[in-house]
Amino acid sequence: MSTLLLLTSALQPSAAVLPALALLGHQVKILPAEGSALLEAPESDLLLVDGRQDLAGARDLCRLIRTTGTDVPVLLVVTEGGLSVVSHDWGMDDVVLHTCGPAELEARIKLAIGRLTAVRNAADPDAHVIRSGEVVVDEATYTAKIGGRPLDLTFKEFELLKFLAQHPGRVFSRQQLLQEVWGYDYFGGTRTVDVHVRRLRAKLGVENETLIGTVRNVGYRFVLPAKEKDSAADAARVSGRQHA
């Protein structure tokens, strides 16, 4: 699940601007399509600029976004007529028709965010390594270890562990995990998640199986090790004293 920021001047919900967005599980925040709105814009993984009704204004906004120095991907939402006039020098990363289907929209979002991730990883060799407690996941080599011991995981087991380790403590429903790990176009049931969690726990070993916690009637989460929780709490207390 990604955080998307929709810049639009239409007094409509995001589903009216881009209907396919309502069928995806991303968190969407809406701000006016104005340069001043960017000053207090929350952090996001991707920006959507509504160019359906005011294409010239959307073009200027895309160019303005690039002058702020942000590297967050920008997708310009246009009508079919707008496709004939968009140009590469507008500053957006991609264009998408407002009538596109959810599978196409999801693919464009993932590709745009993926390109940015690749650039950042090239600049920081360790950016692709996820560390959470004793679990180390290397996205570049598709390998995972716990306490230095390599884990023999299938591709989906690896993707599931990676996703949960990226969001320690956060609870995800089975449906959310299906979408994030298996993809929007996967038609299997949520029992698939339970089966993979069970296999993943078995490979983590008896002493580490509780790292994948079950939240009854909700879903699963990656349980932050007690030592790491204590360290985070200590750091917060020290920070609080320094600012007192």
Side-chain angles (χ1 to χ4, degrees):
M1 186 193 324
S2 301
T3 299
L4 312 180
L5 189 61
L6 173 61
L7 302 176
T8 178
S9 296
L11 298 177
Q12 299 173 304
S14 60
V17 177
L18 197 56
L21 206 52
L23 300 175
L24 303 178
H26 301 294
Q27 182 179 12
V28 182
K29 300 178 181 179
I30 301 177
L31 286 180
E34 303 169 357
S36 58
L38 298 173
L39 297 176
E40 298 182 0
E43 289 189 7
S44 60
D45 300 306
L46 181 139
L47 299 176
L48 291 159
V49 176
D50 181 9
R52 298 171 305 150
Q53 299 173 350
D54 183 7
L55 197 55
R59 174 201 61 199
D60 294 341
L61 183 57
C62 288
R63 288 173 173 170
L64 178 61
I65 290 171
R66 286 302 170 225
T67 66
T68 65
T70 181
D71 59 355
V72 174
V74 177
L75 262 62
L76 177 61
V77 182
V78 298
T79 62
E80 191 166 352
L83 282 176
S84 62
V85 296
V86 293
S87 174
H88 71 280
D89 62 354
W90 286 20
M92 71 286 183
D93 295 273
D94 200 357
V95 294
V96 61
L97 282 173
H98 71 107
T99 55
C100 74
E104 178 185 349
L105 179 60
E106 179 71 3
R108 291 184 183 275
I109 290 172
K110 284 188 174 181
L111 286 171
I113 294 176
R115 284 192 292 268
L116 174 59
T117 301
V119 170
R120 289 176 174 174
N121 287 348
D124 181 2
D126 289 330
H128 55 79
V129 178
I130 302 164
R131 292 183 173 86
S132 195
E134 293 191 330
V135 173
V136 178
V137 178
D138 191 327
E139 294 183 271
T141 60
Y142 282 91
T143 58
K145 297 180 180 180
I146 183 163
R149 172 174 64 87
L151 296 171
D152 182 17
L153 305 178
T154 66
F155 177 74
K156 287 305 182 185
E157 289 167 355
F158 173 85
E159 288 292 311
L160 179 59
L161 177 62
K162 180 187 77 172
F163 182 76
L164 290 172
Q166 282 177 315
H167 308 88
R170 184 172 172 180
V171 181
F172 292 94
S173 70
R174 292 167 175 81
Q175 191 61 47
Q176 286 175 316
L177 290 173
L178 269 182
Q179 180 175 314
E180 294 294 338
V181 178
W182 279 264
Y184 174 81
D185 57 350
Y186 180 77
F187 294 104
T190 54
R191 178 166 170 72
T192 297
V193 177
D194 298 328
V195 171
H196 280 74
V197 165
R198 185 169 66 248
R199 291 174 180 170
L200 184 54
R201 283 172 171 163
K203 292 182 179 181
L204 287 171
V206 176
E207 67 278 13
N208 296 303
E209 61 181 10
T210 54
L211 288 175
I212 310 298
T214 300
V215 180
R216 191 170 182 177
N217 297 325
V218 181
Y220 298 101
R221 64 173 177 162
F222 188 90
V223 179
L224 199 65
K227 290 189 298 182
E228 205 163 310
K229 283 183 181 178
D230 293 342
S231 297
D234 291 342
R237 283 193 292 268
V238 170
S239 177
R241 287 197 295 269
Q242 289 175 342
H243 290 87

